[in-house]
Amino acid sequence: MEVHHHTHHPKKWKEYFWEFLMLFLAVFCGFLAEYQLEHKIESERNKKYMRDLVENLKYDTIRFNKNLLRNELRDLQLDSLRTQISLAAKGTADIPKLYDYWFKSQGFNSVVLNKTTITQLKNSGAFRLIADNKVSLAVGDYYERIAYAIDSKLDEVDNAEKGVKTFGKEIFQLEPFATIIKSGNISFVVDRQTGTLSQNESFFHIYNKVIDSLRASNSLDLIRKERRDFQILYNYVSDKQVLLRDYNEFCRWGKLVASNLINQIKKEYKID
């Protein structure tokens, strides 16, 4: 039997070089393709976050507008209440009017900012995706500085409101309004379709009937009616009104910044 031996020629350095080069190019191109894909995915994620952020800011501007309108009405009612308290301190109180403005001027509207997207960005570590430094700084400024300032002012008004209500309970009687309490009516209701909170017109219709009836029967009275009591109440109401006006100014500031930020994001990320 004849055996054939195959001879192996050693590769030249050029062959090794070209094999290495082809392998390197294959790995490098794969890396570039993966990097490009990852960059595209991050870019799309970033744009989606920016779209969501714009929608959150649009919600904020709507809430600013609605609450400012209601708080401006409340400010006028507080003016009328202070006038009635001043008359009461002078001994010329129109008690039904005093009660009426007391009830109508209670409370105020607060803006709850929509922080859904900014919370997602922070919790997921995706805030770094905001490539544009100016947009990143503007977003951080809105949520960290402006929102904080608005919430701080809100706390001040809320504390003043508590003071007004607490002292008011020592002056005004709720017993004449027992029919409203027993009826189970509430002054605010939630719209099930939109999820918004609005005034219950049926409640105020019943309330107006009760106050008119009490006025006609001349049966309304006050628990305390010393001049000093009215002066203290006047101070509480004035404090609330001043702080509410400050809060409204901060809300106008927030509304302006939110509107500018919407335009800035739309321009930078080409969002319609």
Side-chain angles (χ1 to χ4, degrees):
M1 181 181 292
E2 190 175 348
V3 179
H4 297 280
H5 296 280
H6 298 282
T7 57
H8 296 278
H9 300 286
K11 291 183 180 181
K12 296 179 180 181
W13 68 270
K14 289 182 179 181
E15 294 179 73
Y16 283 112
F17 171 77
W18 285 112
E19 285 181 3
F20 168 78
L21 182 61
M22 295 299 290
L23 182 62
F24 172 79
L25 288 174
V27 173
F28 182 68
C29 288
F31 169 77
L32 286 179
E34 185 177 350
Y35 176 80
Q36 188 66 24
L37 178 62
E38 185 177 339
H39 179 73
K40 183 180 179 182
I41 291 171
E42 284 198 348
S43 179
E44 289 175 352
R45 281 180 64 203
N46 188 20
K47 196 163 185 177
K48 182 184 180 304
Y49 276 128
M50 292 302 102
R51 283 198 190 95
D52 292 343
L53 195 59
V54 165
E55 291 304 312
N56 287 179
L57 291 166
K58 284 181 180 178
Y59 171 89
D60 290 351
T61 56
I62 291 171
R63 299 313 309 167
F64 281 130
N65 283 331
K66 288 186 176 181
N67 288 311
L68 279 167
L69 283 172
R70 291 170 182 170
N71 283 342
E72 284 161 4
L73 173 61
R74 186 70 76 248
D75 184 62
L76 293 174
Q77 291 165 334
L78 286 165
D79 271 339
S80 299
L81 176 60
R82 282 193 302 105
T83 299
Q84 292 303 319
I85 295 171
S86 292
L87 291 173
K90 295 172 184 176
T92 56
D94 183 332
I95 294 179
K97 274 190 178 180
L98 187 60
Y99 267 92
D100 194 28
Y101 286 120
W102 161 254
F103 281 117
K104 288 180 178 177
S105 64
Q106 286 190 34
F108 64 97
N109 287 83
S110 58
V111 178
V112 180
L113 299 179
N114 190 338
K115 299 179 182 179
T116 307
T117 302
I118 192 66
T119 301
Q120 289 176 348
L121 282 167
K122 288 180 177 179
N123 290 344
S124 65
F127 194 82
R128 61 181 176 78
L129 295 177
I130 305 178
D132 186 273
N133 189 49
K134 289 182 179 179
V135 172
S136 176
L137 289 173
V139 170
D141 184 63
Y142 177 74
Y143 286 103
E144 296 297 332
R145 186 170 68 95
I146 297 171
Y148 175 79
I150 291 172
D151 288 344
S152 296
K153 283 293 174 183
L154 174 61
D155 289 339
E156 291 178 10
V157 184
D158 191 49
N159 287 332
E161 170 75 9
K162 289 174 183 175
V164 173
K165 285 184 175 179
T166 300
F167 192 74
K169 288 174 184 176
E170 297 186 27
I171 293 178
F172 296 95
Q173 297 185 53
L174 290 178
E175 188 179 359
F177 300 89
T179 53
I180 297 177
I181 300 169
K182 288 178 181 177
S183 68
N185 279 280
I186 55 175
S187 55
F188 290 90
V189 290
V190 175
D191 187 311
R192 293 184 180 181
Q193 291 184 336
T194 63
T196 57
L197 194 68
S198 60
Q199 288 185 330
N200 184 352
E201 294 303 325
S202 63
F203 169 84
F204 288 100
H205 177 70
I206 294 170
Y207 165 78
N208 288 330
K209 285 179 66 176
V210 171
I211 200 84
D212 288 343
S213 173
L214 291 169
R215 179 190 294 275
S217 64
N218 197 28
S219 58
L220 272 176
D221 202 0
L222 300 167
I223 299 172
R224 290 165 59 173
K225 37 193 168 182
E226 295 295 322
R227 177 181 174 82
R228 182 176 178 277
D229 295 328
F230 292 123
Q231 289 174 330
I232 293 172
L233 181 62
Y234 187 96
N235 289 347
Y236 275 118
V237 172
S238 298
D239 186 39
K240 174 190 170 180
Q241 190 172 15
V242 169
L243 290 171
L244 181 60
R245 286 175 179 174
D246 274 350
Y247 177 69
N248 287 343
E249 283 303 312
F250 272 72
C251 287
R252 289 187 188 95
W253 176 40
K255 174 191 166 184
L256 177 62
V257 174
S259 298
N260 290 339
L261 186 53
I262 288 170
N263 293 330
Q264 188 178 356
I265 293 172
K266 281 185 172 182
K267 181 180 178 182
E268 178 62 31
Y269 292 91
K270 297 176 175 60
I271 298 172
D272 296 329

